[in-house]
Amino acid sequence: GMGGMGGRGRGRQTGPQKGADLQLAVEVPFQSACFGGEQKVQIRREETCETCNGSGAKPGAAGKAQCRQCGGQGAVMQVMQTPFGVMQTQQVCPACNGDGVDPSCLCSSCRGKGTSPTTREVTVKVPAGCNNGNQLRLR
């Protein structure tokens, strides 16, 4: 027979990534660049889903249930009879797309991610004498 091609469902992290950097290009008016000032900026970032509180599960569900088709493995074995004998192949589970989680128990707002994109307005202090192409770091 042929050697096994192993593998499990890929792991998935839920909740926002701690310390994920955001980068944004902003046009600063000439006056602010010369003399300094404040600039309001819209940033878009992933934040904890308010519907499921970051769990990724549908509200009221006991959590994410295993996919019934693959048993939580994220992959299904397919056995085919060929003229050369029996051949096994492993494919990504069509029911859960390799996540190993029952799609019916996922949060409808974030689709099981645990995060949703949110737009926030932030005020940035522009130092006097800013040049074209300067980068400002905010913490």
Side-chain angles (χ1 to χ4, degrees), residues 27-39 126-130:
E27 292 280 329
V28 178
F30 180 72
Q31 193 81 10
S32 295
C34 287
F35 305 111
E38 291 186 343
Q39 176 94 11
V126 180
C130 225

Side-chain angles (χ1 to χ4, degrees), residues 11-12 14 39 44-45 61 70 72 84-85 87 90 98 107 116-117 119 123 126 138:
R12 185 159 50 203
T14 56
Q39 176 94 11
R44 195 173 151 88
R45 65 182 210 163
C70 66
F84 305 108
M87 192 167 106
Q90 193 174 31
C107 172
S116 55
T119 303
T123 303
V126 180
L138 303 176

